[in-house]
Amino acid sequence: MTHAAGQARPPWRERLAFHAVMLGAMALLASAALTFGNRFTAPDIRDRYAEDLRASLRQVIPSDAHDNDLLQHTVTVNDSDGRPVHVYVATKEGKTTAVAFQKVGQGYGGPIHLMLGVDRDGRLLGVRVISHSETPGLGDNIELSKTDWILGFNGLSLANTPEKEWHVKKDGGRFDQFSGATITPRAVVKAVHEGLEFFARYRTRLLNDASPLAPVKGGTS
């Protein structure tokens, strides 16, 4: 039976218990939807993350430098601040040839996430920017798609580049700064230098640990 226009709502609809039940039902439905969505999208998200990670690793460790799956061969080492660093170990015929790991520099717009590739002798095979929030047209010149500035690290090491040169030219170093954005390249140079120091500190462990470990799902240094 329907109610005529203007007729008051049934008393039970005005009760607090009714509203509590309705709120609970909506919350339950929302939770179920999120759980369902996560269950069926999580594998795709993991696959996309792995693809992006592999692409970054290919840019800092040449394919002919290893015959293993870098995502299946990792070592986790705590840095000097106690933060875990996930290191991807490249091997060829069972011998470690290089490692790759992430470093974070503090730029003008926020954290700058980098991927470094280092050969067993401590020389940089490559450095790439994974993500950043620097100013477009200024700080984003650290991206290889914008300029070749990031390629200036190739081949450098603590052994062939004196401490005093690990700065931008404005600070007496060897690296070019960007007009109007000195903070950005300064942060990258500092992070790369710290990355080489990290490798030197843990070199023996990283080069000797050649047993495959579980893939790393995420995390930055």
Side-chain angles (χ1 to χ4, degrees), residues 65-140:
H66 66 97
D67 54 17
N68 67 317
D69 184 346
L70 298 180
L71 296 191
Q72 297 294 332
H73 192 170
T74 68
V75 178
T76 300
V77 179
N78 289 334
D79 64 14
S80 57
D81 295 321
R83 296 170 299 188
V85 179
H86 304 301
V87 182
Y88 303 89
V89 182
T91 63
K92 192 167 188 177
E93 298 179 353
K95 180 181 180 180
T96 300
T97 57
V99 299
F101 52 90
Q102 294 187 36
K103 283 294 295 180
V104 180
Q106 187 59 41
Y108 179 79
I112 301 174
H113 295 268
L114 306 167
M115 180 70 80
L116 281 64
V118 185
D119 72 13
R120 62 181 295 112
D121 295 319
R123 289 188 297 265
L124 285 163
L125 295 172
V127 179
R128 292 293 185 276
V129 177
I130 298 176
S131 64
H132 70 87
S133 301
E134 301 304 279
T135 306
L138 294 173
D140 62 352

Side-chain angles (χ1 to χ4, degrees), residues 30-50:
S31 177
L34 289 173
T35 300
F36 180 84
N38 182 67
R39 178 180 178 183
F40 287 94
T41 61
D44 287 338
I45 293 174
R46 287 196 298 268
D47 290 344
R48 299 293 82 74
Y49 174 81

Side-chain angles (χ1 to χ4, degrees), residues 196-212:
L196 288 178
E197 291 180 326
F198 166 82
F199 174 80
R201 186 178 303 116
Y202 299 105
R203 181 178 183 274
T204 300
R205 174 181 175 183
L206 295 175
L207 297 184
N208 290 340
D209 193 334
S211 58

Side-chain angles (χ1 to χ4, degrees), residues 2 7 16-17 22 28 36 53 62 65 76 93 104 108 143 146 150 163-164 169 187 191 195 199 204 216:
T2 58
Q7 184 175 341
L16 182 60
M22 290 299 295
L28 183 62
F36 180 84
L53 184 54
T76 300
E93 298 179 353
V104 180
Y108 179 79
E143 297 178 27
K146 303 293 183 180
I150 201 75
E163 174 80 21
K164 64 181 181 180
K169 291 180 178 178
F199 174 80
T204 300
V216 172

